[in-house]
Amino acid sequence: MTARIPAPMTRILRSVFVPAGARVVGGCLRDIARDPTCTVHDVDVIVHESAAPRLLAACRRLPHPFVVLDRSRRIYRIVCDRSGAGTIDVSVYGDLADDIARRDFTINTLHVGVEPFLHWVQRGDTARLLTHCADWYGGMRDLRRRILRVVAPIAFSDDPLRILRAARFMAAGYRPDRNTDRLAHRDARMASRIAAERVAMELRRLFELPSYEAVVWLDGTGALDTLLPEVCSMKRRGANTARRRFYFHAGGLWEHARLTLKSVEAVLRRFAFHFPQYHAQLDDLVRPDLHLLKLAALLHDVEKPAVARRDGERVRFFHHEERSAHVAAAALRRLRFSAQEAGRCASLITHHMRIGNLCHSTGAGDRAFVRLFSDTGDVFPMLLVLSLADRYSYAEIPERAQELREREMPVFRRFVRQLAARWFAWREASCAPRLLSGEDVMRILNIPPGPAVGAVLRALDEERSLGTLRTREQAERYARASGGRPSARDRSEASAS
């Protein structure tokens, strides 16, 4: 029999929740109705307050983590396996009809006793399960029609995060009915009340899906400006006007950012076309951080207006990459993304011009490529996608589309394919043990731990990647010759920071 839910979850539901008369509700039933072959990892269960004290005491005795998610709203979680993939979320209700009426969308209002749900787990009889489901708000009809419909007019004002959740359902193929769309526009400004951690969680989920159209809808409601004030700033400062037309896209800088996101998703859909040899490996490397790639696409030029300068007939945006990276990192930290996530997104934006610059450079040697790989590390696969998408966004401009399609993009695609091959070769070589360790460098040069040691190690790595150092003896001679003095490049980076 196919494991439809994790085995520990089955045991817990049977031993703890069946005796309490609990009911399964919402998301997992929606997913089963859409795909009867699906594997369920997360189950939402509701229990009447009269049975709650005994049930919660039994939950605390389980050999599994039991977490209080919201004490005032009486919401709890059982983590059923060590990976965290199997969870049971438990909420306590006083009146069942009132609890269901406070759900977000009709497709999430289906509910059924735990016993029939476990019968589905054992037998896979989806028709029987759905027959037992209570459907008070037409959720099954809306599932079949892929309609997103709020249960009550206060759905978004009660919890504004539901506007973001609506965007995620749109990315999954649902469309809001007219009333739901109207209410989202009405209540969009309330998005400022959402806790930052919840916004981050929902953005991660949204950007795992093809989300361009959903982001356009979210922008149309006004919620995006509230959640990302940087976008609002981009629209205001980066608009083309009669006296100040700095941007190729008619809609200004925000149109370019939006179309870059659209192009990211177009590149991902055609990975095999863009990278025939490495598409599977690159896909595995890019997918875990899609949310960072897409946020970088939206924010990669956010500070262009701050540095825009006319140079004859041209407009220059010197150092906009570094400034945009700083703003994007601050935005991610504000939304409580991890420091590592903020750093990776900032790295993408900092380096997003370098692939294009290398493509057009006639004098770039191997050292330039090695430094790009070293500076970007495992962010580089996402940088390939962002660089392609940045170029493709200009294909939406009628006067540039033909030249871009017929001349510029074929050259650039060949270049990034070659660059991908170089990166995989560099990555394999860089996995080999270093010729010298940090302790070796300190002993040879008689210097204490510090930045000088790191500078020598980076220089050794670079020379080895170029093939100029192959043995330990050569590395020792190189280290002695350097004397522990930072390179011109290291001095430049230190002064910049």
Side-chain angles (χ1 to χ4, degrees), residues 166-339:
R168 173 159 59 89
F169 280 117
M170 290 180 67
Y174 293 85
R175 66 183 189 279
D177 72 348
R178 185 176 300 178
N179 185 52
T180 299
D181 183 68
R182 179 184 64 80
L183 292 171
H185 281 74
R186 185 195 71 182
D187 296 334
R189 292 187 181 277
M190 295 185 183
S192 60
R193 291 168 23 196
I194 311 171
E197 294 85 352
R198 299 180 75 207
V199 173
M201 176 187 69
E202 205 59 49
L203 285 176
R204 285 190 189 94
R205 293 175 174 175
L206 170 63
F207 286 139
E208 286 175 0
L209 301 166
S211 40
Y212 170 71
E213 295 294 343
V215 169
V216 170
W217 177 81
L218 201 60
D219 182 33
T221 67
L224 191 63
D225 287 351
T226 302
L227 297 168
L228 281 174
E230 296 77 10
V231 167
C232 187
S233 169
M234 203 186 316
K235 293 175 184 175
R236 178 174 49 81
R237 297 189 302 156
N240 283 322
T241 65
R243 297 181 60 185
R244 183 184 169 96
R245 186 176 176 82
F246 282 179
Y247 309 101
F248 287 111
H249 294 87
L253 188 57
W254 172 234
E255 184 183 357
H256 167 61
R258 221 176 51 236
L259 291 174
T260 303
L261 171 63
K262 182 180 181 181
S263 298
V264 162
E265 297 186 341
V267 172
L268 293 173
R269 283 195 303 272
R270 302 187 68 201
F271 238 15
F273 167 75
H274 289 94
F275 303 101
Q277 188 175 356
Y278 297 105
H279 63 92
Q281 298 98 309
L282 287 170
D283 192 71
D284 287 343
L285 293 168
V286 168
R287 292 288 167 184
D289 283 334
L290 271 184
H291 61 294
L292 302 181
L293 173 58
K294 292 184 179 183
L295 283 166
L298 290 175
L299 300 175
H300 70 284
D301 283 343
V302 66
E303 279 298 284
K304 266 189 171 180
V307 298
R309 298 290 183 273
R310 284 210 175 273
D311 181 8
E313 294 299 312
R314 301 186 63 182
V315 179
R316 303 285 191 174
F317 304 99
F318 292 123
H319 305 296
H320 78 276
E321 310 97 313
E322 296 89 344
R323 292 186 60 146
S324 297
H326 178 76
V327 168
L332 265 68
R333 288 193 297 269
R334 184 186 71 246
L335 292 174
R336 300 294 190 269
F337 285 96
S338 70

Side-chain angles (χ1 to χ4, degrees), residues 5-42:
I5 66 174
M9 189 183 292
T10 301
R11 291 193 295 269
I12 294 168
L13 289 172
R14 187 172 302 285
S15 63
V16 176
F17 289 89
V18 170
R23 299 184 69 79
V24 175
V25 65
C28 71
L29 297 176
R30 177 197 70 227
D31 294 343
I32 293 166
R34 290 297 307 172
D35 178 13
T37 65
C38 72
T39 299
V40 173
H41 296 286
D42 306 301

